[in-house]
Amino acid sequence: MTLHARLQIRRSGFTVRAEFTVESGAVLALMGPSGAGKSTIVHALAGIQKLSAGRIELDGTVLADERTHMPPHRRQIGLLGQDPHLFPHLDAARNIAFGAHAGGMDKTAAAKEAARWLHRLGLEEIAGQRPAALSGGQRQRIALARALAAAPRVLLIDEPFASLDVEAAADMRLLVREQLRRTGISAVIVSHAAADTTALADELMVLERGEPTHHGPVAQVFAHPDTRFMRAVVASLPAEPLPAPLEPCKEAADGA
Ligand SMILES: Nc1ncnc2c1ncn2[C@@H]1O[C@H](COP(=O)(O)OP(=O)(O)OP(=O)(O)O)[C@@H](O)[C@H]1O
């Protein structure tokens, strides 16, 4: 699935403008200061934000342009946000089955699909639990399973690790990476954390006040930070791991 977007969305004080292509199975990260327009782009792709101008196309099908606005439920685009928005009255298995049903399966097939996802993500033990009884990390896993069970053509991931503690966020990041690789679903991820971008994305677009300031392969963008914001992001990256201590060479050990 190739996603192509050329967007213009007016906000108070500035216009968000961006153009990008996400090739089949690729992951694009969006970074930028607070209020730069990252969520606005994600919402436009999901169909909960209309375009002022431009066009969004998925494999040649127009999802949105100046005249067209395909509703969110018809786009086959999944959204995983900071708040998992699980249905409180449904247990974990039924929450996931809801995703599969929304993706087009009948109720029996959806229940089987939910069981498969519970197994795949190691969540069988909490299948019968309602969201209120689960930890934040478990709720995010259920939300991921529910999004993937709908077999989306593209997954949008908007700060899903922000409310988790460091360990749960690292686990969730690995899980998302594994599932994106396994399913080959294209994704767009918004994150403030450089670690998410380096772990998950192939390409990075940086937005500042609605305008892209950097766009390219992640390593290339991190190697050439051109704005104060990006220099601060790069400064926050962990330093290279220290090289392993050298083995004393034979001559030195022999006192030669
Ligand atoms: N519904 C709306 N109507 C008009 N302007 C909005 C709306 N929602 C957000 N904005 C404004 O649009 C701009 C971009 O907001 P957006 O949420 O896309 O930024 P962001 O980069 O995702 O920020 P953050 O990192 O804080 O989530 C902000 O100035 C915000 O105040």
Side-chain angles (χ1 to χ4, degrees), residues 53-122:
R55 170 189 281 249
I56 302 172
E57 258 180 48
L58 192 52
D59 261 356
T61 303
V62 177
L63 305 186
D65 62 14
E66 279 134 66
R67 282 160 303 163
T68 319
H69 182 82
M70 189 186 279
H73 64 274
R74 289 197 39 227
R75 294 191 180 201
Q76 290 180 276
I77 292 186
L79 178 58
L80 183 65
Q82 183 172 338
D83 184 334
H85 288 300
L86 296 174
F87 298 110
H89 60 292
L90 298 181
D91 64 22
R94 288 197 172 87
N95 263 285
I96 301 171
F98 181 92
H101 187 48
M105 290 186 180
D106 67 34
K107 294 222 162 125
T108 315
K112 283 194 187 140
E113 184 64 7
R116 264 196 291 276
W117 278 102
L118 286 162
H119 175 69
R120 209 170 268 156
L121 303 195

Side-chain angles (χ1 to χ4, degrees), residues 215-241:
H215 186 195
V218 174
Q220 194 178 310
V221 172
F222 281 150
H224 302 283
D226 284 337
T227 61
R228 222 169 110 180
F229 169 79
M230 266 319 270
R231 282 192 287 276
V233 168
V234 169
S236 78
L237 284 169
E240 289 292 315

Side-chain angles (χ1 to χ4, degrees), residues 140-153:
Q140 277 295 25
R141 281 160 189 263
I142 300 298
L144 173 67
R146 184 179 62 179
L148 292 173
R153 299 196 287 174

Side-chain angles (χ1 to χ4, degrees), residues 11-12 14 33-40 192:
R11 301 269 80 152
S12 39
F14 64 91
S34 205
K38 307 177 295 292
S39 296
T40 299
H192 282 108

